[in-house]
Amino acid sequence: MSQLNDRLVALRGPVPAKGHDARTLAALTANPGCNRRALLDAAGIDKDAIAVHLGKPRPLVKSSLALRSGATFEQQVKADGCAELLRLLRDVLNLPLPEAAHTDLAVVGTQDATPQVRYIHTRNAVLEALRSTSPARTLLDHPILQLTVAGHPVYLEPDVVAFQIDGVFHIIEIKSFAVVDQQANGTKVAAAVTQAAAYVLALRELLAKEGIDGDRVSHDVILVTPRNFTRRPTASVVDARKKIAALTRQLNRLTRVEPLLDALPARITFDLILDQDKRPTRDPKELTAALQATTTRYTPACRHFCDLAYVCRGEARDDGSIDVLGSDISDDLGGIDHIGTALRLADGTRTPAADQADLAAALRHAHAVRTQLRESA
Ligand code: SF4
């Protein structure tokens, strides 16, 4: 592992690795065919800093107001030792009244609150709860979990609480999007459940290392959200089995990073070479050339989850890649990789290969209709 770490540090340069959270993990699995993302994420490289330095930052995904509102809601739910959360859990899980033991794992009793140290505290608290003979419930606030991604361990710092009920842990995800008349935005719910699924897998991995059955972590996750248009929280139990299965499949498919590292040119680095004021001094052309030594698979969906989206979109456009037009068109034009090829087949300046005859006929027809429409306009 240390040799692998050395190689990843060389890629990143002398700066701390950027950590994962379940959101970036879900994003990592959203484009499993992209080697560039796999390498940069494995090395903990700050992709946003690279995009900014190259003058192609991704616009803010969430406003600062939305971020503040989310943090305030989480604080409200967790105030007074998670009193409000306990009230909700008693409702949705039909718990009896006895008090729960609340442990805040952000307070580790030492100056060294690194993810590694907090993970060890989390692991100890989980095992202590599992081995306890007391019937007390256990709330673990601010846990740190570890999940193996592409053969490399990453730390997840959830804003969730693991709650042990009769020997089974439940993952709780607190989100600030509203549930109105018991309906919520489907995309946001799906994203929240995917995040919770990552925590379920990480907690199961922790138990597996101790020889404990993964069934001790429930596939039912609990979403806590504001009710209607108020700030009053409500809790819902969601069956995350499909998301857990999908995430497991995607993680298993992720390419291991060693072969990707082996394929890179010697001495390649994505180091931004920060000066003493932490400003990047790396020559952008050199950095672009280093990025281009990695292979990508850009799709328009990258804009929703990857900080390098505008960098990769620029490259794909320059390259005339069909992928910039989206998966529907890529599928329709299966076997054609470049926009220029499609255009030449459409205007008849390129002779189609035998297996392109039908596609070329359809493109020529579309081109003729378009020409007619333009002429009659
Ligand atoms: S934006 Fe680029 S690096 Fe990110 S996933 Fe898409 S192709 Fe890969």
Side-chain angles (χ1 to χ4, degrees), residues 31 34 36-37 296-299 302 305-306 308-309 312:
N31 191 350
C34 178
R36 178 178 294 174
R37 179 161 184 129
T296 60
R297 188 178 282 179
Y298 176 80
T299 74
C302 290
F305 61 78
C306 186
L308 285 176
C312 297

Side-chain angles (χ1 to χ4, degrees), residues 103-146:
T103 308
D104 189 348
L105 292 158
V107 184
V108 293
T110 157
Q111 294 294 316
D112 184 5
T114 56
Q116 291 89 331
V117 170
R118 286 179 56 202
Y119 169 68
I120 290 167
H121 280 256
T122 301
R123 189 189 62 196
N124 292 343
V126 167
L127 297 178
E128 199 180 306
L130 278 174
R131 288 167 183 157
S132 166
T133 51
S134 143
R137 323 293 172 194
T138 304
L139 270 173
L140 302 178
D141 196 354
H142 298 113
I144 290 265
L145 300 172
Q146 197 185 62

Side-chain angles (χ1 to χ4, degrees), residues 41-79:
D41 279 345
I45 290 170
D46 186 342
K47 296 185 297 300
D48 180 49
I50 288 184
V52 170
H53 188 52
L54 295 180
K56 292 181 179 165
R58 192 165 65 120
L60 270 183
V61 181
K62 252 188 169 185
S63 70
S64 54
L65 185 66
L67 288 171
R68 269 204 307 279
S69 150
T72 306
F73 181 68
E74 187 185 331
Q75 278 166 14
Q76 177 195 334
V77 172
K78 289 184 174 180

Side-chain angles (χ1 to χ4, degrees), residues 8 12 15-20 38-47 152:
L8 294 174
R12 187 175 70 242
V15 289
K18 202 162 158 42
H20 271 282
L39 275 166
L40 268 60
D41 279 345
I45 290 170
D46 186 342
K47 296 185 297 300
H152 192 66

